Amino acid sequence: MQFESAYPSVVKSITQRVLLNAWLRALRTPDALPCLGDFHTDGSADECADMMGFEVVGRGDAARFLITQEGARLTTAYGNEHVDPALRTNRYLDDAIGAERYARVLPSYRACLASKRPTYTVSTVQDADGKDVAYERLLLPFGAGDAVMQIVGSYKAISIEGGFRLDNLMGVMPKAVPVVIVSAVIDRALEPSRRPAAQDSVELI
């Protein structure tokens, strides 16, 4: 998968733009990574239903992504509602979604690690009723020095056809394999904000 260099304006979702702006506010210097503790957003806690948090374990191609928070709507989209809620975190992403799906999403996470910048992808997929749905994934890297230590992900499903079925949308047996139509590393015109971060935060646990 080829990732194109892009401006922040590539992000379509308004709520994801809010999260990206919060990441920019946490960015202190152009060449550094923001600290997760400086990440605050004006979004409501309900936004966590479409978010995931990860600890990055290992470096480079050996890195794995330990789930520290999993949003409820993502559990539905990936068909994981059968998993005990207590067991949905503290497991690795590759174990949680299986080898086939992991191979499809891994390039986004690898690009986020390598570039140390947000990555954004849009995929098209069909729900169980055959409606076209756009699935937008925004990954935000955090860490210290030159090492990405955490990733916060936001995942949005939108259909111009109106209501759609979220159940198993990105699951093991979706109606159609997602087709990536946008893959970007957001690394252009990223200016550290001089404004203080907002005090309302979305807490990832």
Side-chain angles (χ1 to χ4, degrees), residues 45-55 66-75 85 88-91 93 151-155 202-205:
D46 180 64
E47 189 63 23
C48 282
D50 293 320
M51 297 176 69
M52 293 187 75
F54 305 93
E55 292 284 344
L66 183 68
I67 299 171
T68 57
Q69 189 266 343
E70 180 177 294
R73 283 190 287 268
L74 296 175
T75 299
R88 291 173 186 167
T89 57
N90 295 317
R91 56 179 180 158
L93 181 62
I151 291 176
V152 171
S154 172
Y155 311 80
V202 171
E203 182 178 359
L204 296 172
I205 59 175

Side-chain angles (χ1 to χ4, degrees), residues 18-19 22 25 38-45 197-203:
V18 169
L19 294 173
R25 287 197 300 269
D38 291 332
F39 181 62
H40 305 284
T41 174
D42 294 325
S44 69
Q199 294 305 306
D200 294 332
S201 64
V202 171
E203 182 178 359

Side-chain angles (χ1 to χ4, degrees), residues 14-88:
I14 293 175
T15 52
Q16 288 181 338
R17 288 286 291 271
V18 169
L19 294 173
L20 180 57
N21 286 338
W23 184 87
L24 287 170
R25 287 197 300 269
L27 188 65
R28 301 306 182 192
T29 61
D31 299 325
L33 282 161
C35 174
L36 185 59
D38 291 332
F39 181 62
H40 305 284
T41 174
D42 294 325
S44 69
D46 180 64
E47 189 63 23
C48 282
D50 293 320
M51 297 176 69
M52 293 187 75
F54 305 93
E55 292 284 344
V56 179
V57 180
R59 294 287 194 95
D61 291 342
R64 297 178 74 191
F65 308 95
L66 183 68
I67 299 171
T68 57
Q69 189 266 343
E70 180 177 294
R73 283 190 287 268
L74 296 175
T75 299
T76 300
Y78 276 92
N80 287 335
E81 292 176 305
H82 65 284
V83 178
D84 187 323
L87 301 178
R88 291 173 186 167

